[in-house]
Amino acid sequence: MMGSDNQVFEEAHVYASREEMENLVLDDDNSSSKSFSNYRSATSLSPPILVTPADSDPLLAPPPYRDLRNPNAPDNNGNNQSYIEPPSYADVIFRPFDETNPAVNEINGVESSNQFVDSPHSSTSPVSSTSSDYIKITVSNPQKEQEMSNSLVPGGNTYVTYLITTRTNIPEFNGSEFSVRRRFRDVVTLADRLAESYRGFFIPPRPDKNVVESQVMQKQEFVEQRRVALEKYLRRLAAHLVIRKSDEFKLFLQVQGKLPLPTSTDMASRMLDGAVKLPKQLFGESTALVAPQEVGQPAKGGRDLLRLFKELKQSVSNDWGGSKPPVIEEDKEFLENKERMSDLELQLSNASQQAEALVKAQQDMGETMGELGLAFIKLTKFENEEALYNSQRARAADMKNVATAAVKASRFYRELNAQTVKHLDTLHEYLGLMLAVRSAFTDRSSALLTVQTLLSELSSLQMRAEKLEAASSKIFGGDKSRIRKIEELKETIRVTEDAKSVAINEYERIKENNRTELERLDKERRADFLNMLKGFVVNQVGYAEKIANVWAKVAEETSGYANENS
Amino acid sequence: MINTQRSASGSSQSPRSPSSQPYLSVSVTDPVKLGNGVQAYISYRVITKTNFPEYQGPEKIVIRRYSDFVWLRDRLFEKYKGIFIPPLPEKSAVEKFRFSAEFIEMRRQGLDLFVNRIASHPELQQSEDLKTFLQADEETMERLRSQDTGYFKKKPADLMQIFKDVQSKVSDVVLGKEKPVEESNPEYEKLKHYIFELENHLAEAQKHAYRLVKRHRELGESLSDFGKAAKLLGACEGDALGKAFSELGMKSEALSVKLQREAHQLLMNFEEPLKDYVRAVQSIKATIAERANAFRQQCELAETMKLKEINLDKLMLTRSDKVGEAEIEYKELKAESEDSTRRFETIVRLMNEEIVRFQEQKTLDMGIAFHNFSKGQARLASSIADAWRTLLPKLEACSSS
């Protein structure tokens, strides 16, 4: 107990700040891991992992780990040779996401997990177990650029562009590595065009515009925040097996210069055009029918305000259940799924919140433990300096042990937390995806509404035609004007029939997209959640073991004080 | 009863052989709330087991309240200057917690420690006041308590002022300012400096220890909430995954309970001893103030005596008829001065002994506290690991199904 090595103090000096504590070199600790001052920043950029469990399970992969405590440890396949000693996770590094590099698992328990995030080997694209497709996207190098004289503000607007680098071996891309510069507005355009082209798909939601934040935050901080968000978004898009091969995505990633996609302002001007056309339509001067090719888009986004009104009327009549709509959403399975997704979203939101609270509590625990350790280190130093009695030196030695343990435990808590953040992030990811699900279901509803509108229009046109025919048949020799009207009506009916077919096809297509996406989502989500749970639990076990060891040592060292009180 | 407070000064606790070794052991138990509303207070049972001849043995039980303990402390402080009187747990508490089970238990523990330390101190255990406290009936006690016009009827603010004076005197000396009525003993200066610094360091450690208790509680709460959320999510997912979430949720809730328990242990066995340490240091500061007073008094009397001596010589030279009177005064003053010097020297001697005891005792106390702390943490972490570990084969089963 007395006067052991003072290595701690050579380096300890006066510790007032956390950084100093981070650099504190402790006795048997050979790495001064630069830990995380902000657990948020430890939130990784990895997309939801879509691999099957077999590839990613750290328990089945063959990382070499030795159980220092028990040479008879069960082998990694979980075949317990002895049920007495459970496998020790204290010596394993917990990186269940690092499936491409199982051999990198290190034995040193105090490894900083920063390496995982920056490692060039870490796969950022989910590798499906069947294909070897690979695509990695990085967003970097934000730069200020000047807008040309287009704007109203003299001197021009400035905006930020980001360098988007893609590395891939997917054949649909021509090339294996390319870079473009894009601004945020381009991303909005991409997102909008994808939403139009891939109705019914679960398209990952794009980052928010954050108008308020962009004004209020420090420019650098905001740009960095946006860069991270963009990277996450693009990687998610790349993870979607259908969308990654879309034209829109490819154009976005590859075409130099101006993004060759119609922008959303174009769409807005189309709305204006539509407003101009409306009076003519109402007076019957231009055709009031819906061109078949336009039926492929929802009325809201399109030019046709009249169509919008009609569909609105239809949806109202649907709601009031006046006349039984000809096509009802009778897919009970779909309704059940919709209900299920809604419930899932609610629970995910709740779980996501509680996960954040848990992370904060772990973070705080680590911090306070560290501060306690520091306070004891100061006390130890003080007692040693002022010691007149051996009892003081003994006490100082005891305190040093406790302080060392507390600082170590504090580090372990922080590492545990960084890993926990990564695992539980899966909850946040899927919560974000629920937005995409809702939007895909909305695509379906609006497509159905279009069909219903057309059907009821068709039936009313047909009724008119019948009436006219009945009336004109009463006049002997025919009524020239009525006959002409009937002809026109029949033409309208034909066009509307075509539109109806297109609408029905579109609806069926979206239905099918919904179905396959839902299947994919369920399958992937199950796998990802299971992985998350395993990762989370392995993490907790491992770090709890490490922390237990640290304190057991001190308990041992102070066991001399134990008496019949304990 | 705290066995560890037994020093080697002859009061061992061995009720099996009452006739051989003299012993005095006390326990403070059974807190009971009495009275109503604002007047409400807690009373404790104080059980004394002893074979001291002056005591009504072998066992006596009395009922005491907090202010009775305060009375005892004040009396001892007055009578045994130089000795570090064991500290009392704090007087006031936030109204809300004054009657919370935790607070009452902490206070009971503190009071028990207080009395036992007195009973095991070779000098203090001889005190008449202690005997009164342990043996007198309740009415007598109440009478004594209300009569008390002792030094420490002063308000805490006054006490603070005394401490501040001592502190400023320390710093004055350190700064080299001339203050005539101060000891110029470098060793003693060092001790004073040590005591004041120590209090600061300890207070900080105690603050963090208290926060650590809170963190345990918070982590427990968030684990509980997280567990509930996981269970709900599991209900939504269904199948094997749902089951997995469910199990996770249950484990999480179970661990929450463990954390709350450890938080309580931490409070009682780690944070309290640290607080106790701080109080002990504050008690030493009071003794330091006493010593300063005694020194000042001694100096003043010595000064006055010198003046009187000079005056007496003068009178003797002039053969004044006031000589007789002056001689008597001088003699009285000399006796007082010698008394005062003796008192001061006693304090010095006692303090030197006390400081050694104090250091030894504190090493012991903290050693135990550290041991309990680390054992508790190890146990907690271990059970956390065990709990989560049992989940793993179940998760494996889920993914393979």
Side-chain angles (χ1 to χ4, degrees):
Chain A
M1 275 200 297
M2 311 245 291
S4 47
D5 63 279
N6 285 321
Q7 185 182 336
V8 178
F9 305 113
E10 265 84 71
E11 280 104 358
H13 305 307
V14 180
Y15 286 88
S17 68
R18 186 183 300 137
E19 293 86 66
E20 289 174 305
M21 188 176 86
E22 296 301 341
N23 297 325
L24 179 64
V25 176
L26 301 170
D27 291 330
D28 40 37
D29 227 327
N30 55 11
S31 85
S32 58
S33 65
K34 275 278 207 91
S35 228
F36 315 93
S37 51
N38 182 358
Y39 72 93
R40 265 275 170 234
S41 69
T43 307
S44 80
L45 310 167
S46 56
I49 302 305
L50 303 176
V51 294
T52 59
D55 286 337
S56 60
D57 192 334
L59 300 178
L60 299 181
Y65 87 81
R66 40 189 174 86
D67 184 343
L68 296 172
R69 291 181 320 183
N70 183 5
N72 302 322
D75 68 39
N76 297 356
N77 291 331
N79 300 327
N80 280 330
Q81 284 140 6
S82 112
Y83 277 95
I84 304 164
E85 279 293 340
S88 162
Y89 299 94
D91 301 315
V92 183
I93 279 297
F94 315 104
R95 293 198 234 174
F97 290 160
D98 195 13
E99 71 269 18
T100 56
N101 228 342
V104 169
N105 276 335
E106 303 202 4
I107 312 299
N108 180 359
V110 196
E111 178 61 36
S112 161
S113 45
N114 255 335
Q115 285 192 11
F116 167 63
V117 173
D118 300 338
S119 157
H121 297 299
S122 70
S123 158
T124 53
S125 158
V127 178
S128 99
S129 50
T130 48
S131 83
S132 58
D133 282 351
Y134 167 81
I135 173 166
K136 177 176 172 180
I137 301 180
T138 339
V139 177
S140 61
N141 201 333
Q143 272 176 19
K144 244 200 285 198
E145 290 187 20
Q146 197 94 6
E147 192 153 64
M148 289 313 142
S149 58
N150 226 355
S151 68
L152 300 164
V153 179
N157 270 333
T158 57
Y159 57 90
V160 178
T161 61
Y162 302 83
L163 183 68
I164 305 188
T165 314
T166 314
R167 282 198 200 94
T168 178
N169 64 357
I170 297 175
E172 280 82 346
F173 288 88
N174 20 334
S176 59
E177 184 164 339
F178 35 86
S179 300
V180 293
R181 282 213 155 260
R182 296 283 181 236
R183 59 186 288 189
F184 188 76
R185 221 161 52 182
D186 295 335
V187 176
V188 176
T189 306
L190 172 66
D192 291 344
R193 300 292 82 77
L194 283 175
E196 287 163 7
S197 308
Y198 287 91
R199 299 177 75 201
F201 277 88
F202 299 165
I203 309 173
R206 66 157 169 79
D208 291 331
K209 289 184 184 166
N210 292 123
V211 176
V212 175
E213 265 138 310
S214 69
Q215 301 300 328
V216 167
M217 277 176 79
Q218 295 289 351
K219 188 73 175 176
Q220 220 180 338
E221 213 184 312
F222 177 72
V223 166
E224 175 56 19
Q225 182 181 292
R226 183 164 268 190
R227 184 198 68 76
V228 169
L230 289 179
E231 195 172 82
K232 245 194 183 158
Y233 172 61
L234 292 174
R235 286 179 178 181
R236 283 196 204 115
L237 287 182
H240 194 296
L241 297 178
V242 173
I243 290 181
R244 65 155 61 149
K245 298 193 182 155
S246 68
D247 292 333
E248 291 86 350
F249 195 50
K250 286 193 288 189
L251 290 176
F252 181 90
L253 290 178
Q254 297 193 273
V255 174
Q256 299 291 335
K258 186 163 179 295
L259 180 65
L261 292 174
T263 70
S264 308
T265 45
D266 294 347
M267 308 308 279
S269 64
R270 284 165 65 183
M271 285 289 287
L272 285 174
D273 287 345
V276 168
K277 267 176 44 187
L278 182 61
K280 289 196 192 149
Q281 288 175 323
L282 290 175
F283 289 118
E285 280 168 18
S286 81
T287 51
L289 45 75
V290 187
Q293 66 270 23
E294 287 181 1
V295 148
Q297 284 306 308
K300 251 203 222 142
R303 315 173 190 187
D304 201 332
L305 291 173
L306 192 64
R307 179 176 155 207
L308 199 77
F309 293 158
K310 282 190 189 160
E311 292 195 354
L312 186 61
K313 203 174 84 175
Q314 181 64 34
S315 69
V316 168
S317 88
N318 280 352
D319 284 345
W320 284 97
S323 59
K324 182 159 178 262
V327 176
I328 27 171
E329 186 59 85
E330 55 187 14
D331 192 340
K332 234 203 310 194
E333 194 184 320
F334 171 69
L335 286 170
E336 276 170 15
N337 279 328
K338 191 154 170 234
E339 181 79 27
R340 183 167 65 90
M341 285 295 119
S342 169
D343 193 22
L344 183 65
E345 186 174 351
L346 187 65
Q347 301 312 336
L348 263 180
S349 169
N350 184 27
S352 182
Q353 255 182 307
Q354 301 308 338
E356 278 214 34
L358 178 65
V359 160
K360 173 148 201 313
Q362 276 179 177
Q363 169 90 350
D364 288 344
M365 177 74 91
E367 263 179 39
T368 302
M369 188 65 85
E371 284 166 353
L372 183 71
L374 273 185
F376 275 123
I377 286 181
K378 284 194 226 172
L379 245 176
T380 309
K381 194 160 172 277
F382 172 70
E383 287 280 13
N384 269 331
E385 279 170 2
E386 311 257 343
L388 295 171
Y389 306 101
N390 284 339
S391 55
Q392 282 174 285
R393 294 192 189 92
R395 193 179 336 133
D398 292 333
M399 262 180 214
K400 178 185 153 193
N401 291 335
V402 173
T404 310
V407 169
K408 278 190 192 165
S410 160
R411 264 203 220 141
F412 285 145
Y413 269 111
R414 304 228 235 141
E415 282 175 24
L416 161 71
N417 210 31
Q419 296 290 345
T420 304
V421 165
K422 282 195 200 142
H423 291 126
L424 295 186
D425 214 43
T426 312
L427 288 170
H428 304 315
E429 293 279 319
Y430 274 95
L431 183 60
L433 215 55
M434 297 314 284
L435 226 67
V437 174
R438 258 201 273 147
S439 146
F441 286 174
T442 306
D443 289 342
R444 179 186 175 130
S445 309
S446 41
L448 181 60
L449 185 61
T450 306
V451 169
Q452 288 172 343
T453 313
L454 286 171
L455 281 171
S456 82
E457 177 138 339
L458 208 52
S459 89
S460 72
L461 283 173
Q462 273 162 350
M463 269 195 330
R464 260 170 66 192
E466 277 170 27
K467 273 201 201 131
L468 276 179
E469 275 183 347
S472 97
S473 69
K474 288 190 183 136
I475 299 177
F476 187 70
D479 179 336
K480 278 236 176 80
S481 80
R482 272 211 188 98
I483 289 173
R484 209 180 354 113
K485 278 206 185 113
I486 291 172
E487 285 302 322
E488 282 174 7
L489 212 51
K490 286 226 168 104
E491 181 59 32
T492 308
I493 289 174
R494 230 172 296 135
V495 174
T496 310
E497 286 269 7
D498 286 345
K500 181 198 85 172
S501 306
V502 171
I504 289 181
N505 282 342
E506 175 71 359
Y507 172 65
E508 291 298 327
R509 192 179 69 88
I510 291 179
K511 257 171 75 174
E512 183 58 21
N513 288 344
N514 274 176
R515 198 189 61 77
T516 51
E517 285 283 83
L518 205 55
E519 238 175 58
R520 181 183 69 91
L521 177 73
D522 281 341
K523 178 159 158 272
E524 285 172 4
R525 190 185 69 254
R526 297 223 154 95
D528 287 345
F529 277 176
L530 261 175
N531 262 353
M532 167 184 82
L533 292 178
K534 271 195 280 188
F536 173 77
V537 172
V538 168
N539 209 32
Q540 292 283 335
V541 173
Y543 280 106
E545 279 176 1
K546 287 186 204 195
I547 291 172
N549 286 342
V550 154
W551 288 115
K553 185 154 163 273
V554 180
E556 174 70 40
E557 284 160 352
T558 54
S559 58
Y561 297 102
N563 51 19
E564 56 268 33
N565 268 1
S566 62
Chain B
M1 275 176 287
I2 308 295
N3 298 339
T4 56
Q5 299 311 312
R6 296 283 162 268
S7 66
S9 44
S11 55
S12 64
Q13 184 216 10
S14 43
R16 288 184 218 112
S17 50
S19 49
S20 50
Q21 289 268 42
Y23 69 92
L24 173 67
S25 93
V26 189
S27 58
V28 177
T29 61
D30 288 335
V32 170
K33 183 172 169 192
L34 296 176
N36 291 315
V38 195
Q39 311 268 352
Y41 66 94
I42 305 280
S43 75
Y44 304 88
R45 228 164 186 232
V46 180
I47 305 172
T48 310
K49 292 199 178 86
T50 179
N51 65 355
F52 280 20
E54 318 85 70
Y55 280 70
Q56 309 165 33
E59 182 178 298
K60 174 99 184 178
I61 300 180
V62 296
I63 305 291
R64 294 286 178 257
R65 56 186 291 187
Y66 182 81
S67 24
D68 296 330
F69 290 82
V70 175
W71 173 87
L72 178 61
R73 196 269 315 269
D74 292 348
R75 306 287 299 180
L76 291 176
F77 190 85
E78 238 180 272
K79 291 229 177 81
Y80 291 89
K81 299 199 174 126
I83 294 185
F84 303 157
I85 308 297
L88 274 176
E90 278 80 25
K91 166 135 187 69
S92 57
V94 178
E95 189 59 39
K96 194 160 68 144
F97 301 120
R98 206 151 66 93
F99 293 110
S100 78
E102 200 169 69
F103 176 75
I104 291 173
E105 174 56 21
M106 288 201 316
R107 179 171 269 200
R108 187 206 63 77
Q109 214 168 280
L111 293 174
D112 188 283
L113 211 52
F114 168 72
V115 186
N116 272 285
R117 281 171 173 159
I118 295 172
S120 56
H121 190 288
E123 304 243 7
L124 296 178
Q125 73 181 195
Q126 318 282 345
S127 148
E128 264 300 309
D129 293 314
L130 177 66
K131 184 153 92 74
T132 309
F133 176 83
L134 291 176
Q135 312 267 286
D137 58 59
E138 278 76 52
E139 290 92 42
T140 313
M141 197 65 233
E142 192 175 331
R143 194 172 20 96
L144 288 172
R145 192 178 66 228
S146 48
Q147 271 175 7
D148 188 22
T149 50
Y151 184 80
F152 286 94
K153 264 311 191 187
K154 283 190 197 241
K155 294 193 286 288
D158 298 334
L159 290 177
M160 271 318 299
Q161 189 52 46
I162 293 167
F163 294 162
K164 285 208 180 96
D165 288 341
V166 183
Q167 216 162 356
S168 73
K169 283 181 175 81
V170 171
S171 57
D172 283 344
V173 172
V174 168
L175 293 171
K177 275 205 254 179
E178 289 275 56
K179 275 266 167 123
V181 211
E182 272 301 313
E183 294 183 56
S184 56
N185 177 346
E187 264 177 35
Y188 184 57
E189 289 309 314
K190 223 175 151 234
L191 175 69
K192 281 194 280 183
H193 178 263
Y194 168 78
I195 291 296
F196 279 88
E197 277 298 301
L198 183 63
E199 189 187 4
N200 292 337
H201 284 295
L202 285 175
E204 197 185 327
Q206 184 258 328
K207 183 176 76 167
H208 291 302
Y210 183 70
R211 277 207 204 129
L212 192 66
V213 173
K214 253 200 333 181
R215 300 299 185 215
H216 278 70
R217 290 207 175 111
E218 287 162 4
L219 184 59
E221 273 169 30
S222 69
L223 273 171
S224 171
D225 291 337
F226 180 69
K228 289 197 180 75
K231 277 163 52 176
L232 286 173
L233 191 54
C236 183
E237 287 284 7
D239 284 343
L241 180 65
K243 200 154 167 290
F245 268 114
S246 219
E247 302 262 354
L248 185 99
M250 287 194 295
K251 271 288 143 48
S252 203
E253 285 178 320
L255 283 175
S256 162
V257 172
K258 289 206 164 76
L259 268 153
Q260 297 295 353
R261 231 176 266 152
E262 177 63 20
H264 179 77
Q265 289 302 313
L266 215 53
L267 185 69
M268 292 302 190
N269 297 334
F270 183 62
E271 197 262 347
E272 259 307 289
L274 273 171
K275 230 178 28 217
D276 177 62
Y277 200 165
V278 174
R279 291 182 202 129
V281 173
Q282 286 167 345
S283 173
I284 297 179
K285 279 163 80 176
T287 306
I288 288 175
E290 276 305 306
R291 174 163 161 165
N293 279 345
F295 182 75
R296 208 176 321 158
Q297 212 181 46
Q298 179 208 39
C299 288
E300 279 165 12
L301 279 172
E303 277 289 311
T304 317
M305 196 180 78
K306 234 181 251 144
L307 289 171
K308 269 275 179 328
E309 198 175 10
I310 292 172
N311 194 34
L312 184 63
D313 288 343
K314 234 197 307 192
L315 286 175
M316 276 168 64
L317 249 88
T318 63
R319 301 221 188 157
S320 157
D321 45 345
K322 301 230 182 87
V323 168
E325 212 183 300
E327 247 174 10
I328 294 171
E329 274 179 24
Y330 175 74
K331 276 211 176 73
E332 281 173 355
L333 206 53
K334 188 154 183 253
E336 257 185 75
S337 174
E338 279 163 7
D339 263 343
S340 154
T341 305
R342 214 184 359 250
R343 269 196 305 255
F344 172 72
E345 282 167 0
T346 305
I347 292 181
V348 172
R349 176 181 55 84
L350 283 174
M351 271 187 85
N352 288 338
E353 290 168 13
E354 286 284 284
I355 195 73
V356 179
R357 287 179 109 242
F358 169 72
Q359 296 288 21
E360 281 173 8
Q361 190 59 60
K362 278 317 170 192
T363 299
L364 210 65
D365 289 343
M366 288 317 291
I368 295 168
F370 289 150
H371 180 71
N372 287 336
F373 174 51
S374 50
K375 217 162 62 144
Q377 290 291 302
R379 215 180 270 157
L380 176 69
S382 214
S383 62
I384 288 176
D386 290 340
W388 289 123
R389 208 183 285 118
T390 59
L391 212 49
L392 281 168
K394 294 186 186 159
L395 288 177
E396 277 308 309
C398 284
S399 56
S400 53
S401 67

